[in-house]
Amino acid sequence: MIELTKENFEEEVLKAEGLVMVDFWSQKCEPCKALMPSVHELAEKNEGKAKFCSLDTTNNKRLAISQKVLGLPTIAFYKNGAKIAELVKDFAIEDVEAKLHELA
């Protein structure tokens, strides 16, 4: 998983070719932390199908808002720099995996 910041978001996500999955999370978000091991496992299992990234919104609030991420946890999918899908709040890792396979 690539750790995103405001410094590398544009390069790693918006200028990337192909599918990119971004896990928006916060250290204060308990559901985010509970989901994180499953997200990392999903990334390892599906290596090569997409680029997998995570963004801690704690120090990147403006960036998250600019991406219209208003609730956590959020998993967003980008293709060739454009956001094409998003899962917000009440979802299971199975939903993320299904969406990944649908888009890949």
PDB file of all heavy atoms in Angstrom, residues 39-62:
ATOM      1  N   VAL A  39      -8.183  -4.576   4.240  1.00  0.00           N
ATOM      2  CA  VAL A  39      -7.844  -3.799   3.042  1.00  0.00           C
ATOM      3  C   VAL A  39      -6.421  -4.130   2.600  1.00  0.00           C
ATOM      4  O   VAL A  39      -6.164  -4.349   1.412  1.00  0.00           O
ATOM      5  CB  VAL A  39      -8.014  -2.279   3.297  1.00  0.00           C
ATOM      6  CG1 VAL A  39      -7.453  -1.472   2.145  1.00  0.00           C
ATOM      7  CG2 VAL A  39      -9.476  -1.941   3.527  1.00  0.00           C
ATOM      8  N   HIS A  40      -5.500  -4.221   3.552  1.00  0.00           N
ATOM      9  CA  HIS A  40      -4.112  -4.560   3.220  1.00  0.00           C
ATOM     10  C   HIS A  40      -4.022  -5.978   2.641  1.00  0.00           C
ATOM     11  O   HIS A  40      -3.287  -6.216   1.685  1.00  0.00           O
ATOM     12  CB  HIS A  40      -3.214  -4.408   4.454  1.00  0.00           C
ATOM     13  CG  HIS A  40      -2.887  -2.987   4.766  1.00  0.00           C
ATOM     14  ND1 HIS A  40      -1.728  -2.386   4.354  1.00  0.00           N
ATOM     15  CD2 HIS A  40      -3.580  -2.028   5.430  1.00  0.00           C
ATOM     16  CE1 HIS A  40      -1.705  -1.127   4.762  1.00  0.00           C
ATOM     17  NE2 HIS A  40      -2.835  -0.889   5.414  1.00  0.00           N
ATOM     18  N   GLU A  41      -4.790  -6.901   3.216  1.00  0.00           N
ATOM     19  CA  GLU A  41      -4.824  -8.274   2.713  1.00  0.00           C
ATOM     20  C   GLU A  41      -5.380  -8.320   1.285  1.00  0.00           C
ATOM     21  O   GLU A  41      -4.847  -9.007   0.419  1.00  0.00           O
ATOM     22  CB  GLU A  41      -5.683  -9.120   3.655  1.00  0.00           C
ATOM     23  CG  GLU A  41      -5.616 -10.603   3.405  1.00  0.00           C
ATOM     24  CD  GLU A  41      -6.477 -11.366   4.403  1.00  0.00           C
ATOM     25  OE1 GLU A  41      -6.263 -11.212   5.619  1.00  0.00           O
ATOM     26  OE2 GLU A  41      -7.373 -12.110   3.940  1.00  0.00           O
ATOM     27  N   LEU A  42      -6.438  -7.568   1.042  1.00  0.00           N
ATOM     28  CA  LEU A  42      -7.042  -7.475  -0.285  1.00  0.00           C
ATOM     29  C   LEU A  42      -6.020  -6.944  -1.294  1.00  0.00           C
ATOM     30  O   LEU A  42      -5.913  -7.448  -2.413  1.00  0.00           O
ATOM     31  CB  LEU A  42      -8.271  -6.559  -0.235  1.00  0.00           C
ATOM     32  CG  LEU A  42      -8.987  -6.309  -1.554  1.00  0.00           C
ATOM     33  CD1 LEU A  42      -9.748  -7.557  -1.984  1.00  0.00           C
ATOM     34  CD2 LEU A  42      -9.944  -5.143  -1.428  1.00  0.00           C
ATOM     35  N   ALA A  43      -5.256  -5.940  -0.881  1.00  0.00           N
ATOM     36  CA  ALA A  43      -4.240  -5.350  -1.756  1.00  0.00           C
ATOM     37  C   ALA A  43      -3.179  -6.384  -2.121  1.00  0.00           C
ATOM     38  O   ALA A  43      -2.787  -6.501  -3.285  1.00  0.00           O
ATOM     39  CB  ALA A  43      -3.601  -4.145  -1.082  1.00  0.00           C
ATOM     40  N   GLU A  44      -2.728  -7.151  -1.131  1.00  0.00           N
ATOM     41  CA  GLU A  44      -1.712  -8.181  -1.398  1.00  0.00           C
ATOM     42  C   GLU A  44      -2.261  -9.254  -2.333  1.00  0.00           C
ATOM     43  O   GLU A  44      -1.581  -9.688  -3.258  1.00  0.00           O
ATOM     44  CB  GLU A  44      -1.261  -8.829  -0.084  1.00  0.00           C
ATOM     45  CG  GLU A  44      -0.333  -7.956   0.723  1.00  0.00           C
ATOM     46  CD  GLU A  44       0.023  -8.571   2.065  1.00  0.00           C
ATOM     47  OE1 GLU A  44       0.056  -9.825   2.164  1.00  0.00           O
ATOM     48  OE2 GLU A  44       0.260  -7.802   3.008  1.00  0.00           O
ATOM     49  N   LYS A  45      -3.498  -9.667  -2.077  1.00  0.00           N
ATOM     50  CA  LYS A  45      -4.130 -10.737  -2.849  1.00  0.00           C
ATOM     51  C   LYS A  45      -4.373 -10.336  -4.305  1.00  0.00           C
ATOM     52  O   LYS A  45      -4.377 -11.181  -5.199  1.00  0.00           O
ATOM     53  CB  LYS A  45      -5.452 -11.108  -2.164  1.00  0.00           C
ATOM     54  CG  LYS A  45      -6.001 -12.460  -2.540  1.00  0.00           C
ATOM     55  CD  LYS A  45      -7.083 -12.886  -1.573  1.00  0.00           C
ATOM     56  CE  LYS A  45      -8.423 -12.297  -1.943  1.00  0.00           C
ATOM     57  NZ  LYS A  45      -9.532 -12.787  -1.132  1.00  0.00           N
ATOM     58  N   ASN A  46      -4.569  -9.042  -4.545  1.00  0.00           N
ATOM     59  CA  ASN A  46      -4.920  -8.556  -5.882  1.00  0.00           C
ATOM     60  C   ASN A  46      -3.827  -7.706  -6.508  1.00  0.00           C
ATOM     61  O   ASN A  46      -4.106  -6.883  -7.378  1.00  0.00           O
ATOM     62  CB  ASN A  46      -6.232  -7.775  -5.809  1.00  0.00           C
ATOM     63  CG  ASN A  46      -7.399  -8.681  -5.502  1.00  0.00           C
ATOM     64  OD1 ASN A  46      -7.907  -9.355  -6.369  1.00  0.00           O
ATOM     65  ND2 ASN A  46      -7.805  -8.719  -4.242  1.00  0.00           N
ATOM     66  N   GLU A  47      -2.601  -7.915  -6.064  1.00  0.00           N
ATOM     67  CA  GLU A  47      -1.476  -7.165  -6.608  1.00  0.00           C
ATOM     68  C   GLU A  47      -1.433  -7.335  -8.125  1.00  0.00           C
ATOM     69  O   GLU A  47      -1.629  -8.420  -8.648  1.00  0.00           O
ATOM     70  CB  GLU A  47      -0.177  -7.690  -5.986  1.00  0.00           C
ATOM     71  CG  GLU A  47       0.997  -6.796  -6.220  1.00  0.00           C
ATOM     72  CD  GLU A  47       2.244  -7.281  -5.485  1.00  0.00           C
ATOM     73  OE1 GLU A  47       2.101  -8.056  -4.517  1.00  0.00           O
ATOM     74  OE2 GLU A  47       3.319  -6.880  -5.890  1.00  0.00           O
ATOM     75  N   GLY A  48      -1.241  -6.223  -8.827  1.00  0.00           N
ATOM     76  CA  GLY A  48      -1.193  -6.268 -10.283  1.00  0.00           C
ATOM     77  C   GLY A  48      -2.508  -5.891 -10.953  1.00  0.00           C
ATOM     78  O   GLY A  48      -2.529  -5.488 -12.101  1.00  0.00           O
ATOM     79  N   LYS A  49      -3.628  -6.018 -10.216  1.00  0.00           N
ATOM     80  CA  LYS A  49      -4.934  -5.641 -10.787  1.00  0.00           C
ATOM     81  C   LYS A  49      -5.177  -4.143 -10.665  1.00  0.00           C
ATOM     82  O   LYS A  49      -5.946  -3.573 -11.427  1.00  0.00           O
ATOM     83  CB  LYS A  49      -6.064  -6.392 -10.083  1.00  0.00           C
ATOM     84  CG  LYS A  49      -6.105  -7.868 -10.400  1.00  0.00           C
ATOM     85  CD  LYS A  49      -7.306  -8.524  -9.778  1.00  0.00           C
ATOM     86  CE  LYS A  49      -7.289 -10.012 -10.098  1.00  0.00           C
ATOM     87  NZ  LYS A  49      -8.301 -10.746  -9.367  1.00  0.00           N
ATOM     88  N   ALA A  50      -4.543  -3.533  -9.655  1.00  0.00           N
ATOM     89  CA  ALA A  50      -4.728  -2.102  -9.392  1.00  0.00           C
ATOM     90  C   ALA A  50      -3.569  -1.619  -8.543  1.00  0.00           C
ATOM     91  O   ALA A  50      -2.812  -2.424  -7.996  1.00  0.00           O
ATOM     92  CB  ALA A  50      -6.046  -1.859  -8.661  1.00  0.00           C
ATOM     93  N   LYS A  51      -3.459  -0.316  -8.433  1.00  0.00           N
ATOM     94  CA  LYS A  51      -2.504   0.288  -7.497  1.00  0.00           C
ATOM     95  C   LYS A  51      -3.285   0.529  -6.215  1.00  0.00           C
ATOM     96  O   LYS A  51      -4.407   1.050  -6.253  1.00  0.00           O
ATOM     97  CB  LYS A  51      -1.977   1.608  -8.056  1.00  0.00           C
ATOM     98  CG  LYS A  51      -0.951   2.285  -7.150  1.00  0.00           C
ATOM     99  CD  LYS A  51      -0.674   3.713  -7.576  1.00  0.00           C
ATOM    100  CE  LYS A  51       0.281   3.801  -8.717  1.00  0.00           C
ATOM    101  NZ  LYS A  51       0.738   5.210  -8.935  1.00  0.00           N
ATOM    102  N   PHE A  52      -2.730   0.143  -5.078  1.00  0.00           N
ATOM    103  CA  PHE A  52      -3.419   0.261  -3.800  1.00  0.00           C
ATOM    104  C   PHE A  52      -2.741   1.314  -2.937  1.00  0.00           C
ATOM    105  O   PHE A  52      -1.538   1.251  -2.703  1.00  0.00           O
ATOM    106  CB  PHE A  52      -3.439  -1.092  -3.076  1.00  0.00           C
ATOM    107  CG  PHE A  52      -4.232  -2.125  -3.814  1.00  0.00           C
ATOM    108  CD1 PHE A  52      -3.617  -2.969  -4.728  1.00  0.00           C
ATOM    109  CD2 PHE A  52      -5.600  -2.235  -3.625  1.00  0.00           C
ATOM    110  CE1 PHE A  52      -4.351  -3.913  -5.428  1.00  0.00           C
ATOM    111  CE2 PHE A  52      -6.343  -3.173  -4.321  1.00  0.00           C
ATOM    112  CZ  PHE A  52      -5.716  -4.020  -5.228  1.00  0.00           C
ATOM    113  N   CYS A  53      -3.536   2.285  -2.474  1.00  0.00           N
ATOM    114  CA  CYS A  53      -3.006   3.415  -1.713  1.00  0.00           C
ATOM    115  C   CYS A  53      -3.882   3.681  -0.494  1.00  0.00           C
ATOM    116  O   CYS A  53      -5.042   3.288  -0.459  1.00  0.00           O
ATOM    117  CB  CYS A  53      -3.006   4.674  -2.572  1.00  0.00           C
ATOM    118  SG  CYS A  53      -2.178   4.515  -4.155  1.00  0.00           S
ATOM    119  N   SER A  54      -3.295   4.365   0.490  1.00  0.00           N
ATOM    120  CA  SER A  54      -4.097   4.803   1.635  1.00  0.00           C
ATOM    121  C   SER A  54      -3.730   6.237   1.982  1.00  0.00           C
ATOM    122  O   SER A  54      -2.586   6.660   1.810  1.00  0.00           O
ATOM    123  CB  SER A  54      -3.903   3.876   2.833  1.00  0.00           C
ATOM    124  OG  SER A  54      -2.607   4.009   3.364  1.00  0.00           O
ATOM    125  N   LEU A  55      -4.735   6.963   2.455  1.00  0.00           N
ATOM    126  CA  LEU A  55      -4.548   8.367   2.822  1.00  0.00           C
ATOM    127  C   LEU A  55      -5.129   8.587   4.206  1.00  0.00           C
ATOM    128  O   LEU A  55      -6.333   8.419   4.421  1.00  0.00           O
ATOM    129  CB  LEU A  55      -5.252   9.288   1.818  1.00  0.00           C
ATOM    130  CG  LEU A  55      -5.144  10.770   2.171  1.00  0.00           C
ATOM    131  CD1 LEU A  55      -3.766  11.304   1.790  1.00  0.00           C
ATOM    132  CD2 LEU A  55      -6.212  11.578   1.478  1.00  0.00           C
ATOM    133  N   ASP A  56      -4.252   8.949   5.140  1.00  0.00           N
ATOM    134  CA  ASP A  56      -4.695   9.324   6.484  1.00  0.00           C
ATOM    135  C   ASP A  56      -5.213  10.758   6.391  1.00  0.00           C
ATOM    136  O   ASP A  56      -4.446  11.683   6.128  1.00  0.00           O
ATOM    137  CB  ASP A  56      -3.523   9.223   7.456  1.00  0.00           C
ATOM    138  CG  ASP A  56      -3.921   9.574   8.888  1.00  0.00           C
ATOM    139  OD1 ASP A  56      -5.050  10.038   9.107  1.00  0.00           O
ATOM    140  OD2 ASP A  56      -3.078   9.387   9.779  1.00  0.00           O
ATOM    141  N   THR A  57      -6.495  10.918   6.590  1.00  0.00           N
ATOM    142  CA  THR A  57      -7.104  12.242   6.421  1.00  0.00           C
ATOM    143  C   THR A  57      -6.793  13.189   7.575  1.00  0.00           C
ATOM    144  O   THR A  57      -7.064  14.379   7.476  1.00  0.00           O
ATOM    145  CB  THR A  57      -8.631  12.124   6.263  1.00  0.00           C
ATOM    146  OG1 THR A  57      -9.174  11.521   7.443  1.00  0.00           O
ATOM    147  CG2 THR A  57      -9.002  11.301   5.040  1.00  0.00           C
ATOM    148  N   THR A  58      -6.195  12.687   8.649  1.00  0.00           N
ATOM    149  CA  THR A  58      -5.893  13.522   9.814  1.00  0.00           C
ATOM    150  C   THR A  58      -5.087  14.757   9.423  1.00  0.00           C
ATOM    151  O   THR A  58      -5.412  15.864   9.832  1.00  0.00           O
ATOM    152  CB  THR A  58      -5.128  12.703  10.883  1.00  0.00           C
ATOM    153  OG1 THR A  58      -5.879  11.534  11.184  1.00  0.00           O
ATOM    154  CG2 THR A  58      -4.917  13.516  12.146  1.00  0.00           C
ATOM    155  N   ASN A  59      -4.034  14.569   8.642  1.00  0.00           N
ATOM    156  CA  ASN A  59      -3.192  15.687   8.225  1.00  0.00           C
ATOM    157  C   ASN A  59      -3.448  16.113   6.785  1.00  0.00           C
ATOM    158  O   ASN A  59      -2.693  16.922   6.240  1.00  0.00           O
ATOM    159  CB  ASN A  59      -1.711  15.319   8.388  1.00  0.00           C
ATOM    160  CG  ASN A  59      -1.367  15.052   9.830  1.00  0.00           C
ATOM    161  OD1 ASN A  59      -1.821  15.751  10.718  1.00  0.00           O
ATOM    162  ND2 ASN A  59      -0.589  14.011  10.081  1.00  0.00           N
ATOM    163  N   ASN A  60      -4.476  15.552   6.175  1.00  0.00           N
ATOM    164  CA  ASN A  60      -4.769  15.827   4.766  1.00  0.00           C
ATOM    165  C   ASN A  60      -6.251  16.139   4.567  1.00  0.00           C
ATOM    166  O   ASN A  60      -6.861  15.696   3.599  1.00  0.00           O
ATOM    167  CB  ASN A  60      -4.353  14.629   3.908  1.00  0.00           C
ATOM    168  CG  ASN A  60      -2.865  14.379   3.955  1.00  0.00           C
ATOM    169  OD1 ASN A  60      -2.079  15.117   3.388  1.00  0.00           O
ATOM    170  ND2 ASN A  60      -2.464  13.327   4.666  1.00  0.00           N
ATOM    171  N   LYS A  61      -6.829  16.886   5.504  1.00  0.00           N
ATOM    172  CA  LYS A  61      -8.276  17.179   5.458  1.00  0.00           C
ATOM    173  C   LYS A  61      -8.682  17.901   4.172  1.00  0.00           C
ATOM    174  O   LYS A  61      -9.672  17.544   3.549  1.00  0.00           O
ATOM    175  CB  LYS A  61      -8.682  18.012   6.669  1.00  0.00           C
ATOM    176  CG  LYS A  61      -8.792  17.215   7.944  1.00  0.00           C
ATOM    177  CD  LYS A  61      -9.342  18.079   9.073  1.00  0.00           C
ATOM    178  CE  LYS A  61      -9.520  17.314  10.354  1.00  0.00           C
ATOM    179  NZ  LYS A  61      -8.292  16.885  10.998  1.00  0.00           N
ATOM    180  N   ARG A  62      -7.917  18.911   3.780  1.00  0.00           N
ATOM    181  CA  ARG A  62      -8.279  19.670   2.571  1.00  0.00           C
ATOM    182  C   ARG A  62      -8.262  18.779   1.335  1.00  0.00           C
ATOM    183  O   ARG A  62      -9.120  18.899   0.461  1.00  0.00           O
ATOM    184  CB  ARG A  62      -7.327  20.851   2.377  1.00  0.00           C
ATOM    185  CG  ARG A  62      -7.627  21.999   3.290  1.00  0.00           C
ATOM    186  CD  ARG A  62      -6.921  23.273   2.829  1.00  0.00           C
ATOM    187  NE  ARG A  62      -7.253  24.363   3.699  1.00  0.00           N
ATOM    188  CZ  ARG A  62      -6.380  24.983   4.482  1.00  0.00           C
ATOM    189  NH1 ARG A  62      -5.115  24.620   4.476  1.00  0.00           N
ATOM    190  NH2 ARG A  62      -6.766  25.971   5.251  1.00  0.00           N
TER     191      ARG A  62
END
